[in-house]
Structures are given as structure tokens and as C-alpha cells.
């Protein structure tokens, strides 16, 4: 995407966690850091991109933002969280780190040629996907990219 629809817009995803310190340790094991200016005893700001952040919130802090009751992520899926990495190998490394840090595998590897992904559940049961996408695919679209890869003799 060459012209962002909303330049300068930032995304914050607020996620309830049962134990903030345990969740911070889990995501640190996956290579994430935390912005100390927006991290305290009830919240941790985890940058996931240049303008995208996940706010890990204690249940008490999350309840301050939502008038609706919290769903149990072990029994209800309200969202799936996906982030990209720079290579297929990094997908496998992050997936392995998630399992080693106490997460559980959600699905096996998913290889669509132009995109490769692994899915896992974090310590609270939230569903995550780590994925790599060939940089040419977003510009062309998946179907056009697959067709051009087949024309070039590459596996799609």
C-alpha cells in the first residue's frame, strides 16, 4: 500500500491478561519489548510495528475500559492477533519460542507459497499468528502474485 488511508494513525489493541508480569515475560521471550513510558503495574505497552501497539492490561485495568464483561479466551474467540516477521525461518523461530515460553500450538504450519504462518495460544489462551509474506504479494494481490510465480516456474 503506497498511500496509507490515514497517515500518522496509530493502532492500540487492548488485551486482558491474568498475570501481567508473566505475560510480559512470555512476549519478551518472543522478542518483543515494552515502552516504559506506557507501562506500569496494570498495563504494558508492547510495540508490534511502527504505529501499532498491543496493550497488555490486567483484568482490573481492562475492566476500566470496557463496560462489557470479559470473555474467557480459552472458550471464546473474539479476535485473532497476527504479526509479520521478515522470513520463513523467523516464523518458525518465533513459533518455537512461543511454545518454549509456555504457549501452546493452535495449528500446524500453513504454507500458501506467498505466505507462511504458524499459530499459537499465549498463556491466557489468546490466539496469535506469526506470518511471513513475500514482499511482492501485497502489491500484486495474492492471486496475481501466484499467477506470476507460476509463470516464472516458481512454486506458488
Amino acid at each position: 500500500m503506497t498511500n496509507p488511508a490515514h497517515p500518522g494513525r496509530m493502532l492500540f489493541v487492548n488485551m486482558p491478561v491474568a498475570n501481567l508480569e508473566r505475560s510480559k515475560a512470555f512476549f519478551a521471550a518472543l522478542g518483543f519489548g515494552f515502552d516504559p513510558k506506557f507501562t506500569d503495574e496494570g498495563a504494558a505497552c508492547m510495540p508490534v510495528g511502527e504505529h501499532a501497539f498491543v496493550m497488555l492490561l490486567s483484568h482490573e485495568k481492562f475492566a476500566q475500559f470496557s463496560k462489557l464483561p470479559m470473555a474467557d479466551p480459552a472458550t471464546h474467540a473474539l479476535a485473532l492477533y497476527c504479526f509479520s516477521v521478515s522470513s520463513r525461518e523467523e516464523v518458525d523461530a518465533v513459533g518455537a519460542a512461543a511454545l518454549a515460553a509456555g504457549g501452546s500450538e493452535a495449528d500446524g504450519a500453513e504454507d500458501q507459497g506467498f505466505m507462511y504462518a504458524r499459530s499459537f495460544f499465549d498463556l491466557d489462551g489468546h490466539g496469535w499468528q506469526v506470518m511471513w509474506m513475500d514482499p511482492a504479494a501485497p502489491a500484486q494481490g495474492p492471486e496475481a502474485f501466484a499467477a506470476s510465480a507460476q509463470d516464472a516456474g516458481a512454486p506458488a
Side-chain angles (χ1 to χ4, degrees):
M1 179 184 316
T2 57
N3 295 318
H6 304 282
R9 184 172 281 184
M10 297 167 49
L11 172 68
F12 291 87
V13 175
N14 296 307
M15 179 184 300
V17 297
N19 182 312
L20 184 59
E21 291 305 315
R22 185 178 77 141
S23 291
K24 285 171 55 180
F26 174 82
F27 287 105
L30 275 60
F32 289 101
F34 301 92
D35 184 340
K37 296 185 299 286
F38 299 99
T39 299
D40 60 24
E41 66 281 346
C45 179
M46 183 173 77
V48 296
E50 187 176 353
H51 299 292
F53 309 86
V54 171
M55 295 296 299
L56 302 175
L57 303 175
S58 68
H59 285 185
E60 297 78 22
K61 181 70 105 176
F62 185 85
Q64 294 173 9
F65 293 102
S66 176
K67 296 186 185 331
L68 297 174
M70 265 183 288
D72 181 352
T75 60
H76 294 80
L78 297 178
L80 298 174
Y81 308 96
C82 180
F83 61 94
S84 64
V85 295
S86 61
S87 69
R88 290 172 168 267
E89 295 77 21
E90 192 175 359
V91 168
D92 289 332
V94 172
L99 300 180
S104 59
E105 189 168 39
D107 294 313
E110 192 177 322
D111 191 345
Q112 296 182 15
F114 71 95
M115 185 174 74
Y116 178 69
R118 293 188 98 75
S119 299
F120 60 89
F121 295 109
D122 69 17
L123 302 176
D124 288 280
H126 298 288
W128 288 84
Q129 184 178 59
V130 56
M131 56 86 75
W132 165 86
M133 184 181 300
D134 187 298
Q140 296 176 339
E143 291 175 6
F145 177 80
S148 69
Q150 287 177 341
D151 290 346

